[in-house]
Amino acid sequence: MLLISKMTNKCSCQHAPSQLRTRAKAQIQLLKLKELIKMKSRQLSSFYTLWAGATLTLFCSLLLMDLFSSCSGTMTTVDLDGVVADMVSISLNATVNLSPGIPIATRTLILLVCLLVVAWSHREKNTVPGPSFCLGLGPLLSYLRFIWTGIGTASNYYNKNYGDIVRVWINGEETLILSRPSAVNHVLKNGNYTSRFGSKPGLSCLGMNERGIIFNNNVALWKKIRTYFAKALTGPNLQETVEVCVSSTQTHLDNLDSLTHVDVLSLLRCTVVDISNRLFLDVPLNEKELLLKIHRYFETWQTVLIKPDIYFKFGWIHQRHKTAAQELQDAIGSLVEQKRRQMEQADKLDINFTADLIFAQNHGELSAENVRQCVLEMVIAAPDTLSISLFFMLLLLKQNPHVELQLLQEIDTVIGDRQLQNGDLQKLQVLESFINECLRFHPVVDFTMRRALSDDVIDGYRVPKGTNIILNMGRMHQKEFFHKADKFSLENFQKNPPRRYFQPFGSGPRACVGKHIAMVMMKSILATLLSQYSICTHEGLTLDCLPQTNNLSQQPMEQHEKAEQLSMRFLPRQRGSWQIP
């Protein structure tokens, strides 16, 4: 602007320099502008920035040309043809021949078109593969795909079509979808990715914004809260988990009304909610009522997580979601207060997860809202993931009768006629391989979400601060390392795979803190169930034909017209009887 101002003053002056000198200066300035474009084109990775820089340079060039033209009617026109050709050659290596007689308006239009082509075709060598920007249509379409099909389904689509490192957009923000083991491992191990992304109004609606552990993006507070979860989910507390799991599973099996038409999903959900209550809360509750509220909360979670801010401007929509989330928050709050009264009246305190949080609140270390959210997330984790995982495992077991036979033989050999004990877990190697293969082949949660806290480089690609990351580990598990990666086979776990190739619970600073207790719970429930019953699924029911959604997690569609096929038949079996019905 200073350059333009100076030249304007020179043109308006009565004693202007000679036309030749003015023309030479103008050409020098235009050459400088041309070099600026070349330099910026090497640096810019954003379409917006490239187009804005090129348009600004074009504007300055045209303004200079108009100013010199107005200085004298006989002044020779500045030759922009070489500049235009050089500008276009930045990415296209093309040339444009403009006749000096073409009007300035026409020149402007041609230059705009050329610069648009330059910007459109501009690619850096390290540009991440992905859908085209296409004048803003690409970000819109990719975002709509995530909204319409779900995060998991959309992530699989883009990895399938563009490769194991893909750039897309979610709510206008650049997002990388990674399924390459080296890239996934880099993000999981790096403290630069301890934050997650999601709609702030949506997380606030759920009570997760800077609360709890799952989507708490206040890293300092998250680290503090994680210590309470780690204390409850690891170490000595694991010792009582087997006994609680066996007791709860047996109780719910004994209370079945019928063995010929078992709602397995309901059975598993009630069992894991009861286990969670006994381990972490220990107050009387109505399992089915709580499960209904958990289901509505989870549906709200899936709906609002990546919605745009404008979505929450509609009061009636926001209120509907807020009400669904508040139902569960109020229920958990009531249970926490019930636990508080129980502690005040107890002669001897049994310190569990909730009691520990209440003590922290009493000492001013945590707010009441944070205590409620932590208990809520501890209670909902199992029904949303572990119970569905167990359901998928039972389906895979019936699809692979030779695996079922191996499992029954091992269970009868290790456990015999007694109940499962802590010491038995390490001996159930076939069961562990079966669980791992199920988590690899058909995981409930097949991805995790992160956000870059600072600039980084992943496998040669520059990752600016604030970039969203989706780690598509489910796809990675079916494409890398394993001997029969595209098939269900226990041979895939004859040897323990390197951690970088098998990440069912993640790793690094933000790994699933409950991964050890989850394995204990799955082993205990399956061993207790399969030692007493053979499972018969509905005819034709397989994972391939099971209607499912894959948003935050893979879930069977229970409202589908074939939902009645989700029920199973339990046949009592004798120990040592390995005939598969």
Side-chain angles (χ1 to χ4, degrees):
M1 295 305 294
L2 180 60
L3 170 67
I4 295 172
S5 176
K6 288 182 177 180
M7 290 190 173
T8 305
N9 291 336
K10 288 184 179 182
C11 291
S12 61
C13 181
Q14 293 181 355
H15 304 287
S18 66
Q19 294 179 4
L20 183 60
R21 181 179 176 185
T22 305
R23 178 182 176 187
K25 286 186 175 182
Q27 288 178 331
I28 291 173
Q29 296 301 329
L30 288 175
L31 287 173
K32 289 182 178 180
L33 290 171
K34 178 193 70 174
E35 292 301 322
L36 180 63
I37 287 181
K38 287 184 177 180
M39 181 183 69
K40 292 297 182 184
S41 68
R42 290 191 296 267
Q43 298 175 349
L44 301 175
S45 59
S46 169
F47 179 91
Y48 290 120
T49 312
L50 177 65
W51 177 243
T55 304
L56 178 60
T57 305
L58 172 65
F59 172 76
C60 294
S61 302
L62 291 174
L63 183 56
L64 285 170
M65 186 175 66
D66 287 343
L67 288 172
F68 292 130
S69 298
S70 64
C71 289
S72 173
T74 61
M75 185 175 179
T76 305
T77 305
V78 176
D79 183 12
L80 292 178
D81 294 351
V83 178
V84 173
D86 285 341
M87 290 164 61
V88 177
S89 68
I90 293 172
S91 63
L92 288 182
N93 238 0
T95 58
V96 177
N97 294 319
L98 297 178
S99 171
I102 298 177
I104 291 179
T106 305
R107 287 171 178 257
T108 303
L109 180 60
I110 293 174
L111 287 170
L112 285 170
V113 172
C114 291
L115 287 171
L116 179 61
V117 172
V118 170
W120 180 273
S121 62
H122 174 75
R123 295 288 188 275
E124 289 187 354
K125 291 182 180 180
N126 65 340
T127 297
V128 183
S132 172
F133 182 84
C134 196
L135 299 178
L137 190 60
L140 177 62
L141 291 178
S142 69
Y143 184 39
L144 288 176
R145 181 176 291 276
F146 277 91
I147 294 291
W148 185 257
T149 66
I151 300 173
T153 302
S155 297
N156 288 328
Y157 169 84
Y158 285 115
N159 276 143
K160 178 181 178 181
N161 286 278
Y162 294 97
D164 52 11
I165 298 183
V166 186
R167 185 264 299 117
V168 294
W169 295 266
I170 293 180
N171 198 14
E173 299 176 344
E174 283 201 357
T175 303
L176 298 182
I177 308 173
L178 311 178
S179 61
R180 184 183 299 176
S182 57
V184 171
N185 189 63
H186 174 87
V187 172
L188 290 175
K189 297 292 187 181
N190 197 324
N192 185 41
Y193 300 95
T194 52
S195 179
R196 290 184 168 172
F197 73 91
S199 163
K200 189 172 181 179
L203 293 175
S204 297
C205 175
L206 296 165
M208 291 183 171
N209 187 42
E210 298 196 356
R211 294 178 190 161
I213 191 175
I214 300 177
F215 269 86
N216 190 339
N217 288 323
N218 182 331
V219 177
L221 182 57
W222 163 77
K223 288 181 178 179
K224 180 179 180 180
I225 290 174
R226 184 180 172 88
T227 60
Y228 295 99
F229 280 83
K231 180 180 177 182
L233 296 169
T234 58
N237 289 326
L238 281 176
Q239 299 301 314
E240 64 175 319
T241 301
V242 173
E243 182 182 350
V244 171
C245 288
V246 171
S247 172
S248 178
T249 304
Q250 190 62 58
T251 299
H252 286 81
L253 287 174
D254 293 341
N255 291 337
L256 287 175
D257 295 330
S258 170
L259 296 178
T260 59
H261 192 80
V262 179
D263 184 348
V264 178
L265 275 173
S266 178
L267 170 67
L268 294 172
R269 284 169 174 157
C270 287
T271 301
V272 295
V273 163
D274 181 49
I275 293 170
S276 297
N277 177 40
R278 291 195 199 184
L279 291 174
F280 311 122
L281 191 56
D282 197 22
V283 295
L285 56 80
N286 186 314
E287 294 169 2
K288 292 188 176 180
E289 284 186 6
L290 186 62
L291 281 170
L292 285 174
K293 293 174 182 178
I294 290 175
H295 178 73
R296 286 194 286 266
Y297 184 90
F298 186 75
E299 288 297 314
T300 300
W301 186 3
Q302 292 197 121
T303 302
V304 305
L305 183 58
I306 59 171
K307 285 291 193 297
D309 290 356
I310 193 173
Y311 179 82
F312 301 93
K313 300 297 183 182
F314 299 96
W316 62 276
I317 294 180
H318 182 266
Q319 189 58 42
R320 176 163 57 89
H321 294 316
K322 184 67 177 175
T323 300
Q326 194 67 48
E327 273 186 340
L328 182 60
Q329 291 169 350
D330 291 344
I332 296 297
S334 177
L335 294 176
V336 171
E337 289 306 310
Q338 189 175 340
K339 180 65 176 180
R340 190 189 303 275
R341 291 192 298 270
Q342 185 185 90
M343 292 169 59
E344 292 172 352
Q345 298 170 4
D347 296 329
K348 183 179 179 181
L349 290 178
D350 182 16
I351 305 301
N352 59 18
F353 175 71
T354 304
D356 207 13
L357 292 175
I358 291 174
F359 279 126
Q361 180 190 343
N362 292 341
H363 288 83
E365 297 176 10
L366 293 175
S367 66
E369 293 79 11
N370 227 328
V371 170
R372 181 188 65 187
Q373 187 64 28
C374 288
V375 176
L376 184 152
E377 292 180 9
M378 183 69 93
V379 170
I380 70 172
D384 284 340
T385 55
L386 194 141
S387 59
I388 304 297
S389 294
L390 290 169
F391 177 76
F392 289 158
M393 289 175 190
L394 293 178
L395 289 180
L396 285 169
L397 195 64
K398 299 311 297 183
Q399 290 176 222
N400 297 273
H402 62 288
V403 175
E404 183 177 8
L405 179 60
Q406 292 180 59
L407 275 184
L408 295 179
Q409 290 174 341
E410 181 182 71
I411 289 172
D412 286 354
T413 301
V414 172
I415 302 175
D417 294 329
R418 56 178 173 78
Q419 284 190 341
L420 180 72
Q421 299 174 359
N422 275 304
D424 298 328
L425 295 182
Q426 295 299 321
K427 301 175 185 178
L428 296 172
Q429 292 300 308
V430 176
L431 180 58
E432 183 167 330
S433 295
F434 169 72
I435 291 173
N436 283 331
E437 177 63 359
C438 290
L439 295 177
R440 182 200 72 83
F441 184 75
H442 196 85
V444 172
V445 180
D446 56 354
F447 68 92
T448 187
M449 302 161 70
R450 296 284 192 270
R451 171 167 283 163
L453 296 176
S454 61
D455 294 345
D456 194 19
V457 176
I458 299 177
D459 278 18
Y461 296 113
R462 188 175 66 87
V463 180
K465 177 182 178 180
T467 301
N468 298 332
I469 307 288
I470 295 176
L471 303 177
N472 192 356
M473 294 175 290
R475 183 169 180 83
M476 178 185 77
H477 291 160
Q478 296 194 26
K479 296 296 179 183
E480 300 285 346
F481 180 77
F482 294 96
H483 178 60
K484 296 181 179 180
D486 59 340
K487 296 180 180 179
F488 181 87
S489 173
L490 296 192
E491 293 179 20
N492 288 319
F493 286 90
Q494 285 182 338
K495 295 181 179 180
N496 291 329
R499 287 187 178 182
R500 66 183 301 166
Y501 293 107
F502 184 58
Q503 301 278 4
F505 300 102
S507 60
R510 196 143 191 170
C512 175
V513 70
K515 58 185 177 182
H516 298 299
I517 199 170
M519 183 62 76
V520 171
M521 290 174 68
M522 287 186 286
K523 280 186 174 182
S524 301
I525 294 173
L526 285 175
T528 303
L529 174 59
L530 296 177
S531 65
Q532 301 176 61
Y533 297 101
S534 293
I535 312 301
C536 296
T537 59
H538 195 281
E539 184 177 357
L541 179 62
T542 64
L543 275 179
D544 293 335
C545 69
L546 178 68
Q548 299 175 64
T549 61
N550 188 6
N551 193 355
L552 274 178
S553 62
Q554 297 197 76
Q555 299 273 335
M557 296 176 63
E558 298 175 66
Q559 306 303 320
H560 194 268
E561 57 185 8
K562 295 183 179 180
E564 69 277 1
Q565 296 184 3
L566 299 180
S567 62
M568 299 181 184
R569 186 160 52 101
F570 285 9
L571 299 179
R573 62 175 292 267
Q574 297 293 325
R575 307 249 178 182
S577 174
W578 301 326
Q579 291 185 353
I580 309 301

